[in-house]
Amino acid sequence: MMAARFLLRRAVPALRHARCYADAPAAQMSFTFASPTQVFFKEASVKQIDVPTLTGAFGILPAHVPTLQVLRPGVVTVFNDDGSSTKYFVSSGSVTVNADSSVQLLAEEAVPLDSLDLTMAKANLEKAQSELVGVSGEAARAEVLISMEASEAIVKALE
Amino acid sequence: IGQVRNMATLKDITIRLKSIKNIQKITKSMKMVAAAKYSRAERALKPARVYGTGTMALYEKADIKAPEDKNKHLIIGVSSDRGLCGAIHSSVAKAMKREIAKLSGAGKEVMIVNVGDKLRGLLYRTHGKHILINCKEVGRKPPSFTDASVIATELLNSGYEFDQGSIVFNRFRSVISYKTDEKPLFSLDTVASSENMGIYDDIDADVLRNYQEFALVNIIYFGLKESTTSEQSARMTAMDSASKNASEMIDKLTLTFNRTRQAVITKELIEIISGAAAL
């Protein structure tokens, strides 16, 4: 009986230590990266992700502070646990980092970078730039500007 | 006066038999088409499901709940234009009617968005004043992200500032079963003022609005994908049982036809024999 009480008193500080916030976030990141038609990563464990957002590009590591961001056209780099990295081009979308270190990267369109063609991208950029001169109307202008931004980002990523 | 029914002549039975055989051919081919569309839809559903659960993750992890006292509600019902798929449309309409009754009874304002002409047909007579948007040409081609964004854009441009909403769709469980499910939609204000959102660092109003609009499209896309898969599988089973029923009717009618044919022959024989015997 006495021994049991002793054990209990010993156990309580340990319990209190485990509930401390600093220990709570997982050392692993649960990374989900998907587009409407394709899943690239599903609750995978990766080391770091670099994402291009409207407020700038930043890298996400496990135990990153929770945040919500909107993506801009650009390159997402995923650094795997074994050190290799893969690059994808995303058009737009959102990224969510939750308190439990899970990251959801949802892109409207995402392709691996090596499936993009530099010459086609340059041709698209030139076409968009020439369209910008002749376009009228706010919605059409916005469309051309978006197409230009996306083409510029692709060209920059491939060079 | 008793009812006198003429025994069906051979001609009547032949006509009926031919028409049922044609119907069976049609239902069989519809089943094949539905099976092909179903396998394609199911394959597309796998990534769409990961995408959809990824979208809902924020709301679940941040435990966002709409406050009870809000008055403007929105229900998006996802179905399609085409029938002959079992209880797909009626189950969604039933769930929507139940929700509308519950919310109106509590004094809230409810508007609905019908994705699919069949829903409009089921709801416009009794709940016509709640209808905000109707979407047609749903179900012919597999739904794409563009379709979902068109629906979301219409909704956002309609000017109806809903506080809280839900999307009602048929969630695909297996080839033979689906379940009418409901997922919540949150308005910008609800998310911004939810207490757990404080832990999310450095979010300005513009980013949150873009994020919410994107999430809305994602949820609608997810509902559309699940709904088409359920619809095609339900159509497959419905056409399959229709073909089976037609086969049964064909068997029964063939037996009746043979019996009638034999009865006619026997009657003619009897007439000939009794005619000959009279001589």
Side-chain angles (χ1 to χ4, degrees), chain A residues 32 34-39 41-42 54-55 65-70 92-100 102 104 106-108, chain B residues 44 46-48 50-51 53-55 57-58 61-62 145 191 197 199-204 206-208 210-211 214 218 221 225:
Chain A
T32 305
S35 77
T37 47
Q38 204 178 347
V39 175
F41 289 89
K42 180 177 167 182
L54 283 183
T55 49
V65 63
T67 182
L68 302 177
Q69 291 293 343
V70 173
S92 60
S94 67
V95 60
T96 313
V97 184
N98 301 108
D100 60 358
S102 63
Q104 286 89 28
L106 303 170
E108 189 169 337
Chain B
K46 284 203 188 75
V50 174
Y51 195 72
T53 39
T55 304
L58 167 69
K61 297 203 190 224
F145 194 75
V191 175
M197 283 308 285
I199 62 171
Y200 288 87
D201 172 56
D202 187 30
I203 303 176
D204 66 36
D206 245 358
V207 167
L208 192 58
N210 281 330
Y211 186 88
F214 189 62
N218 291 346
Y221 174 75
K225 280 294 191 193

Side-chain angles (χ1 to χ4, degrees), chain B residues 120-254:
Chain B
R120 188 192 64 89
L122 286 169
L123 291 173
Y124 87 100
R125 202 167 284 141
T126 48
H127 298 80
K129 60 180 165 57
H130 293 284
I131 298 183
L132 182 64
I133 302 173
N134 282 316
C135 305
K136 269 166 62 160
E137 296 295 316
V138 176
R140 194 181 306 199
K141 284 185 300 188
S144 67
F145 194 75
T146 326
D147 299 331
S149 69
V150 165
I151 298 174
T153 318
E154 271 302 309
L155 176 57
L156 292 166
N157 289 344
S158 72
Y160 181 66
E161 303 275 344
F162 65 96
D163 301 311
Q164 190 192 346
S166 54
I167 177 166
V168 182
F169 59 98
N170 289 307
R171 184 168 54 88
F172 174 74
R173 283 208 297 203
S174 82
V175 189
I176 49 169
S177 89
Y178 61 88
K179 189 164 182 295
T180 314
D181 207 3
E182 202 179 307
K183 291 277 185 221
L185 301 166
F186 300 103
S187 72
L188 189 53
D189 293 328
T190 313
V191 175
S193 52
S194 163
E195 49 186 74
N196 284 337
M197 283 308 285
I199 62 171
Y200 288 87
D201 172 56
D202 187 30
I203 303 176
D204 66 36
D206 245 358
V207 167
L208 192 58
R209 191 167 58 87
N210 281 330
Y211 186 88
Q212 271 291 98
E213 289 180 2
F214 189 62
L216 180 65
V217 184
N218 291 346
I219 297 179
I220 294 178
Y221 174 75
F222 174 61
L224 281 172
K225 280 294 191 193
E226 292 267 356
S227 174
T228 30
T229 316
S230 310
E231 181 198 334
Q232 297 300 345
S233 76
R235 185 167 294 127
M236 205 166 76
T237 41
M239 291 296 103
D240 186 39
S241 46
S243 309
K244 282 207 188 79
N245 290 344
S247 302
E248 258 181 55
M249 285 177 81
I250 289 174
D251 290 339
K252 264 198 271 182
L253 269 180
T254 312

Side-chain angles (χ1 to χ4, degrees), chain B residues 8-10 12-21 245-261:
Chain B
T9 61
L10 274 180
D12 296 337
I13 300 181
T14 320
I15 292 173
R16 244 190 120 189
L17 206 49
K18 204 163 72 146
S19 106
I20 296 179
K21 279 191 177 151
N245 290 344
S247 302
E248 258 181 55
M249 285 177 81
I250 289 174
D251 290 339
K252 264 198 271 182
L253 269 180
T254 312
L255 284 176
T256 321
F257 177 79
N258 285 333
R259 256 186 284 129
T260 316
R261 185 178 53 87

Side-chain angles (χ1 to χ4, degrees), chain A residues 77-135:
Chain A
T77 317
V78 178
F79 295 93
N80 299 315
D81 277 343
D82 59 4
S84 64
S85 72
T86 21
K87 294 185 192 251
Y88 303 89
F89 183 80
V90 295
S91 65
S92 60
S94 67
V95 60
T96 313
V97 184
N98 301 108
D100 60 358
S101 254
S102 63
V103 180
Q104 286 89 28
L105 180 60
L106 303 170
E108 189 169 337
E109 304 224 7
V111 287
L113 205 55
D114 44 19
S115 63
L116 289 173
D117 178 28
L118 180 57
T119 38
M120 274 224 67
K122 281 200 169 134
N124 280 340
L125 179 58
E126 279 170 26
K127 195 173 82 142
Q129 277 167 342
S130 61
E131 269 177 16
L132 186 60
V133 180
V135 79

